């Protein structure tokens, strides 16, 4: 968001934010009321439920409303998108844990239908397969975004599967809850367990330990998405060819692994 806001403000546009908290009905509300009501010039979309809003995206295309997807592409629609290679990001996170000596690695995910979760799960499986580790579905937890719920589910997982020593988390916020659960169980990080997050949001000041995380280049994604949608807006009725941009993530190693 920061990268998009800075770029747009430099070019005389204001960024209006519609926060959905992974709520499908809210996503549909913003698309149908704000966008279709011509209340904005263009939109940067970061949808959670891609398949469920595909018809709406098709309508935006037909109505020539400038938009760009940020995060994941939309299968079956040739539209603008800017993303980070999430499968690769998950792969390097799990590979890092394997190289640290962890052979029982859990994936602490989010909502079941979340598009980003599916891509990162694929990267998790790919890394396990490459290093000859068995994929165990019981090591994959799907949670809401509630901190306490995540902590409780990780605590239960550790109780049932004490052999788990590595944790790859869908988001950094999930990683923070995971760290709390691991510490509450009496285990030490990184001596007994290691935790890797995703997004590199840098909230370490609030934790007793710094978090190893995958940096997805979110600021650059926002800036590029803003540039694409602004070019669409300023091209008026000219049809610009869709741009498909995928950035390469990197692992930032810190104390948690």
């Amino acid at each position: 968001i920061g990268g998009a806001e800075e770029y747009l403000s430099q070019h005389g546009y204001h960024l209006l934010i519609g926060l959905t908290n992974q709520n499908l009905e809210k996503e549909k509300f913003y698309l149908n009321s704000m966008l279709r009501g011509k209340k904005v010039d263009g939109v940067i979309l970061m949808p959670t439920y891609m398949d469920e809003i595909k018809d709406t995206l098709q309508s935006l295309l037909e109505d020539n409303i400038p938009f760009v997807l940020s995060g994941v592409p939309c299968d079956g629609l040739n539209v603008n998108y800017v993303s980070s290679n999430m499968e690769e990001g998950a792969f390097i996170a799990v590979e890092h844990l394997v190289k640290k000596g962890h052979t029982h690695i859990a994936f602490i995910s989010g909502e079941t239908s979340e598009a980003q979760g599916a891509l990162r799960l694929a990267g998790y499986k790919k890394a396990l397969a490459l290093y000859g580790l068995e994929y165990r579905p019981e090591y994959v937890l799907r949670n809401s975004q509630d901190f306490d719920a995540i902590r409780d589910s990780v605590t239960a997982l550790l109780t049932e599967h004490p052999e788990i020593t590595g944790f790859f988390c869908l988001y950094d916020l999930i990683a923070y809850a995971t760290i709390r659960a691991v510490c509450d169980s009496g285990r030490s990080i990184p001596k007994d367990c290691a935790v890797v997050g995703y997004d590199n949001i840098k909230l370490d000041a609030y934790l007793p330990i710094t978090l190893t995380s995958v940096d997805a280049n979110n600021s650059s994604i926002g800036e590029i998405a803003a540039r694409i949608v602004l070019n669409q807006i300023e091209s008026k009725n000219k049809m610009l060819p869709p741009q498909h941009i995928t950035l390469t993530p990197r692992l930032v190693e810190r104390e948690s692994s």
Side-chain angles (χ1 to χ4, degrees):
I1 294 175
E5 193 282 328
E6 182 173 353
Y7 183 86
L8 291 172
S9 65
Q10 290 174 354
H11 292 80
Y13 286 82
H14 299 290
L15 181 67
L16 302 177
I17 300 172
L19 187 62
T20 67
N21 290 318
Q22 300 184 344
N23 184 298
L24 177 59
E25 294 308 313
K26 283 188 177 181
E27 290 188 7
K28 290 181 176 179
F29 170 79
Y30 282 118
L31 284 168
N32 292 325
S33 65
M34 183 182 291
L35 306 182
R36 302 301 298 280
K38 310 292 185 181
K39 297 177 181 178
V40 295
D41 296 304
V43 62
I44 299 170
L45 290 166
M46 294 177 281
T48 302
Y49 304 96
M50 187 68 74
D51 289 340
E52 287 83 350
I53 65 167
K54 188 177 293 186
D55 289 343
T56 304
L57 297 182
Q58 181 63 50
S59 296
L60 295 179
L61 275 176
E62 293 170 357
D63 292 343
N64 200 28
I65 296 175
F67 75 94
V68 58
L69 296 175
S70 174
V72 293
C74 181
D75 292 337
L77 287 181
N78 186 23
V79 299
N80 292 302
Y81 72 80
V82 185
S83 67
S84 178
N85 189 330
M86 295 185 194
E87 183 174 336
E88 175 64 17
F91 177 87
I92 62 175
V94 177
E95 180 180 55
H96 171 74
L97 290 169
V98 173
K99 289 183 176 181
K100 289 289 185 177
H102 301 279
T103 56
H104 296 278
I105 301 169
F107 176 37
I108 313 302
S109 187
E111 299 289 348
T112 303
S113 61
E114 186 182 283
Q116 295 183 3
L119 289 170
R120 295 179 197 182
L121 177 61
Y124 166 81
K125 290 180 176 179
K126 181 180 178 181
L128 294 180
L130 181 65
Y131 288 94
L133 300 178
E134 179 186 2
Y135 168 67
R136 299 181 60 174
E138 63 269 28
Y139 283 5
V140 178
L141 289 184
R142 293 180 172 88
N143 299 277
S144 67
Q145 296 301 300
D146 180 75
F147 185 95
D148 290 336
I150 297 167
R151 181 193 59 199
D152 291 346
S153 66
V154 173
T155 298
L157 179 67
L158 279 170
T159 299
E160 186 174 356
H161 297 284
E163 72 277 9
I164 293 175
T165 60
F167 294 87
F168 167 55
C169 302
L170 183 71
Y171 299 123
D172 284 348
L173 294 177
I174 292 178
Y176 297 142
T178 299
I179 287 175
R180 174 53 58 197
V182 171
C183 291
D184 288 349
S185 73
R187 293 168 173 84
S188 174
I189 297 175
K191 182 180 178 181
D192 301 318
C193 294
V195 179
V196 178
Y198 206 110
D199 282 336
N200 195 30
I201 62 174
K202 301 176 184 176
L203 289 178
D204 294 328
Y206 301 96
L207 288 173
I209 190 169
T210 56
L211 178 66
T212 297
S213 183
V214 176
D215 190 328
N217 298 299
N218 287 332
S219 181
S220 296
I221 289 174
E223 180 179 340
I224 294 169
R227 184 168 68 243
I228 290 174
V229 78
L230 190 56
N231 286 341
Q232 281 189 298
I233 293 169
E234 295 182 343
S235 70
K236 304 300 182 182
N237 293 323
K238 295 180 181 178
M239 293 296 294
L240 299 179
Q243 296 188 52
H244 305 154
I245 299 174
T246 303
L247 304 183
T248 301
R250 65 186 181 93
L251 185 76
V252 180
E253 184 176 356
R254 299 191 181 96
E255 296 170 336
S256 69
S257 64

